[in-house]
Amino acid sequence: TNAVTKHWMDWHYYNADIATQNYFYSERWNDDFGVSSNINTELSSSGYSTTTSNNAWRLIRSSRACPYAGTLTKFIVTCESTGADADSDIEVAVWKGTRLALDTAHTSGANHTIAHLGTLTFDFSAASRFMSKELTSFNSTALAQADWIFITVRKTTSGSDGRYYSIHSTVLWDGA
C-alpha cells in the first residue's frame, strides 16, 4: 500500500496592522508577528489574477519554502478583529510561487511565477470578534518541493478604526 504523509505549515500574524484598505499585506519572513505591504507592489494591478511577480525578493521575503511535494488539501484560518471597528471585511489568501532554477544567481528583480490558490473572507459586523473558516476547494492543488507558499491579508471595507487583526493560518497537504 502507498502511505500518505500529512504535512502542514503555520503562519501567525499577531496584532497585524492592516492600515490601508484594499492593500495586500503579508508576513515579513523574519517576523512571525508583523506584516508588511511590500507584496502589494506585486499584486496591486491584477489582484488575485496576478501570475507573475516582477521582484522575486518581495515574494521570497514573504514566503516559506515548501519542504515536501504533495497535494494541497485544506487551508484553515482563525481571524480576530482586535480593534473596536464593527464593520470590517478581511480576505486571507493562500498563494504559491514556483521555485526559481537551482544553482543560478538570480537578480532581485527576477520574474517569478505565482498562483493564487484560494481566499477566505471574514465579515466582522460587531466589535472585537473572532471566527474560524476552512477552505478545501482550490484553484490549484499541486505543490512541488521548494515551491514558495505565502499568505496575504487584505481589508476590503472598514469603519474608522478597524485595522488590527490577529490571524492564525494553516496550510495542509498530502504527500508521499
Side-chain angles (χ1 to χ4, degrees):
T1 64
N2 290 336
V4 173
T5 303
K6 304 289 186 180
H7 303 287
W8 59 275
M9 285 193 294
D10 275 335
W11 286 258
H12 304 95
Y13 298 176
Y14 175 74
N15 209 28
D17 184 355
I18 313 299
T20 305
Q21 186 172 325
N22 292 319
Y23 261 54
F24 288 93
Y25 290 82
S26 62
E27 177 182 61
R28 296 179 295 241
W29 68 275
N30 62 342
D31 184 355
D32 275 343
F33 303 106
V35 293
S36 167
S37 63
N38 281 342
I39 198 75
N40 189 65
T41 301
E42 300 304 301
L43 305 176
S44 61
S45 64
S46 298
Y48 293 119
S49 60
T50 304
T51 58
T52 302
S53 167
N54 297 320
N55 290 84
W57 72 267
R58 282 193 187 107
L59 176 78
I60 292 169
R61 289 180 182 177
S62 297
S63 301
R64 294 185 181 167
C66 188
Y68 305 101
T71 302
L72 185 63
T73 59
K74 191 177 283 189
F75 181 48
I76 303 167
V77 177
T78 298
C79 183
E80 177 187 6
S81 169
T82 60
D85 193 356
D87 186 20
S88 293
D89 294 342
I90 297 294
E91 295 173 341
V92 182
V94 60
W95 298 74
K96 173 179 77 170
T98 304
R99 78 173 179 188
L100 297 173
L102 296 174
D103 297 322
T104 303
H106 299 279
T107 66
S108 64
N111 285 347
H112 201 132
T113 301
I114 63 175
H116 167 245
L117 304 178
T119 300
L120 290 168
T121 301
F122 296 84
D123 180 2
F124 292 104
S125 58
S128 298
R129 300 287 193 254
F130 73 91
M131 66 178 87
S132 297
K133 292 190 174 197
E134 295 181 351
L135 182 66
T136 57
S137 177
F138 301 96
N139 298 325
S140 172
T141 60
L143 297 174
Q145 185 177 25
D147 278 348
W148 295 95
I149 304 296
F150 63 105
I151 308 298
T152 60
V153 180
R154 186 171 80 142
K155 178 174 62 173
T156 57
T157 63
S158 75
S160 60
D161 61 355
R163 66 186 274 181
Y164 293 100
Y165 300 86
S166 292
I167 302 162
H168 177 212
S169 55
T170 304
V171 174
L172 300 138
W173 71 96
D174 290 344

